[in-house]
Amino acid sequence: MAVATSSRSFRSTVWAPFHRMPASIALCCAWIAIAVIIGITAHWSAPYDYTHQDPLARFARPFISAAHLLGTDYLGRDVVSNLLVATQTTLMIALVGSVICALIGISLGLLSAHFGGWVDNAIMGFADAMAAVPFIIVALSVLALFGTSPLLFVFLVGFASWERYARLTRGLVISAKEEGYAEAARIVGVPSMRIYFRHMLPNIAGPLIVQFTVNFPEIILLESGLSFLGLGIQPPETSLGLMVADGRNYLAITWWLAAFPGAVIVLTTLSISLLGDYLRDRLDARLR
């Protein structure tokens, strides 16, 4: 019976906020869906290979030719193709980084709430230390010291903001321990790991989902910022931040090289942030 209750609670937690959503949130969801489709099909839907160069078509203006709908860059590369692949790269980095961040933070939060004592003090002290140092400084130091390896870069952005998950998970688990279902499961001999992962996590999923929607756009901006500074994705690969960095040198004559990837960054982060605020309002009973 407890398992069924947890399953129903998890399903209602995930799907209930999407009933009768405002039109603005529906538009945000539509844009996020388009971004996800682009992220999955970019290499197949791109009209050209994003590295293909056509010197004779350099600096083609957007909306003039059907062959290059959004124009071309200083090497004659199609902006649409580059934009699709760059969106895919940025979203994949943000998704993997957000998942790594959530796993680290939730795991440490569970350990902190379960053991308490010196373990709790050590984890929360480390979280306070991480929160006291701007992560961009840590990222710049690590990348300058070890180089710009793609694998290192993904794990580095995945280490950002884990302390938020840890604090949130710790507080939610401590509160859940005081509720009847957790104590009842413990009395009948259910193992602690089963209580946490089968009963507690589904019931505290709402705030964690909201935190994920808050962290995801932050990692998009972090990746874009580091790539803009030349410490993230390196050519011949591409990302939204790298496209903006390439286009900044030609703003006077080719505004579209930076404008289009910048618009994608703004719309994506804004859509996910607004969706996160909406989910917070719907899932937090204190705000209803």
Side-chain angles (χ1 to χ4, degrees), residues 111-113 115-129 170:
L111 290 175
S112 180
F115 290 103
W118 69 268
V119 176
D120 183 22
N121 293 333
I123 293 176
M124 290 298 103
F126 185 44
D128 291 338
R170 174 182 176 274

Side-chain angles (χ1 to χ4, degrees), residues 134-203:
F135 187 78
I136 189 67
I137 297 178
V138 177
L140 290 173
S141 302
V142 172
L143 292 174
L145 184 63
F146 296 101
T148 55
S149 166
L151 185 61
L152 174 63
F153 182 68
V154 171
F155 278 99
L156 181 63
V157 298
F159 198 66
S161 302
W162 65 267
E163 68 277 0
R164 300 180 188 177
Y165 286 98
R167 288 199 192 96
L168 179 61
T169 303
R170 174 182 176 274
L172 292 172
V173 170
I174 290 176
S175 298
K177 283 182 177 181
E178 300 176 357
E179 298 183 8
Y181 70 90
E183 184 63 27
R186 187 176 296 106
I187 290 175
V188 299
V190 179
S192 297
M193 293 293 291
R194 185 180 178 86
I195 293 175
Y196 286 132
F197 290 100
R198 195 64 181 271
H199 302 291
M200 283 191 182
L201 279 181
N203 284 283

Side-chain angles (χ1 to χ4, degrees), residues 272-284:
I272 299 175
S273 297
L274 291 177
L275 178 61
D277 290 341
Y278 172 74
L279 291 176
R280 181 198 61 192
D281 295 341
R282 291 297 303 270
L283 295 174
D284 192 340

Side-chain angles (χ1 to χ4, degrees), residues 9 56 77 83 95 106 115 121 145 182 188 200 204 222:
S9 175
L56 297 179
R77 295 175 298 188
L83 193 60
L95 178 60
I106 292 173
F115 290 103
N121 293 333
L145 184 63
V188 299
M200 283 191 182
I204 66 175
L222 177 62

Side-chain angles (χ1 to χ4, degrees), residues 16 21 25 37 42-43 60 63 70 72 85 91 145 156 176 198 218 222 227 237 265 270 279 285:
M21 67 173 61
I25 303 302
I37 293 173
H43 284 281
F63 312 120
L70 297 183
T72 59
V85 177
L91 290 181
L145 184 63
L156 181 63
R198 195 64 181 271
E218 290 180 350
L222 177 62
S227 296
E237 301 298 327
I265 293 173
L270 179 62
L279 291 176

Side-chain angles (χ1 to χ4, degrees), residues 23-281:
S24 59
I25 303 302
L27 289 175
C28 291
C29 291
W31 176 260
I32 295 171
I34 292 172
V36 170
I37 293 173
I38 290 174
I40 296 173
T41 65
H43 284 281
W44 295 284
S45 59
Y48 302 93
D49 185 342
Y50 75 98
T51 60
H52 174 71
Q53 301 178 15
D54 184 5
L56 297 179
R58 294 174 67 240
F59 298 130
R61 299 186 66 82
F63 312 120
I64 300 298
S65 170
H68 301 290
L69 184 61
L70 297 183
T72 59
D73 64 4
Y74 55 94
L75 294 175
R77 295 175 298 188
D78 183 59
V79 173
V80 171
S81 301
N82 271 268
L83 193 60
L84 292 175
V85 177
T87 301
Q88 180 188 58
T89 302
T90 297
L91 290 181
M92 286 301 298
I93 291 174
L95 178 60
V96 175
S98 297
V99 170
I100 293 174
C101 182
L103 290 176
I104 294 174
I106 292 173
S107 299
L108 292 177
L110 287 173
L111 290 175
S112 180
H114 178 71
F115 290 103
W118 69 268
V119 176
D120 183 22
N121 293 333
I123 293 176
M124 290 298 103
F126 185 44
D128 291 338
M130 286 296 300
V133 180
F135 187 78
I136 189 67
I137 297 178
V138 177
L140 290 173
S141 302
V142 172
L143 292 174
L145 184 63
F146 296 101
T148 55
S149 166
L151 185 61
L152 174 63
F153 182 68
V154 171
F155 278 99
L156 181 63
V157 298
F159 198 66
S161 302
W162 65 267
E163 68 277 0
R164 300 180 188 177
Y165 286 98
R167 288 199 192 96
L168 179 61
T169 303
R170 174 182 176 274
L172 292 172
V173 170
I174 290 176
S175 298
K177 283 182 177 181
E178 300 176 357
E179 298 183 8
Y181 70 90
E183 184 63 27
R186 187 176 296 106
I187 290 175
V188 299
V190 179
S192 297
M193 293 293 291
R194 185 180 178 86
I195 293 175
Y196 286 132
F197 290 100
R198 195 64 181 271
H199 302 291
M200 283 191 182
L201 279 181
N203 284 283
I204 66 175
L208 295 177
I209 292 172
V210 173
Q211 179 58 42
F212 189 88
T213 62
V214 172
N215 193 48
F216 193 90
E218 290 180 350
I219 292 185
I220 292 178
L221 295 176
L222 177 62
E223 183 280 325
S224 299
L226 290 174
S227 296
F228 181 83
L229 295 173
L231 294 173
I233 300 300
Q234 300 296 314
E237 301 298 327
T238 186
S239 72
L240 294 175
L242 190 58
M243 287 189 69
V244 174
D246 287 342
R248 65 179 170 175
N249 297 321
Y250 303 92
L251 285 176
I253 57 175
T254 55
W255 55 267
W256 57 90
L257 296 184
F260 290 134
V264 173
I265 293 173
V266 170
L267 289 175
T268 304
T269 55
L270 179 62
S271 296
I272 299 175
S273 297
L274 291 177
L275 178 61
D277 290 341
Y278 172 74
L279 291 176
R280 181 198 61 192
D281 295 341

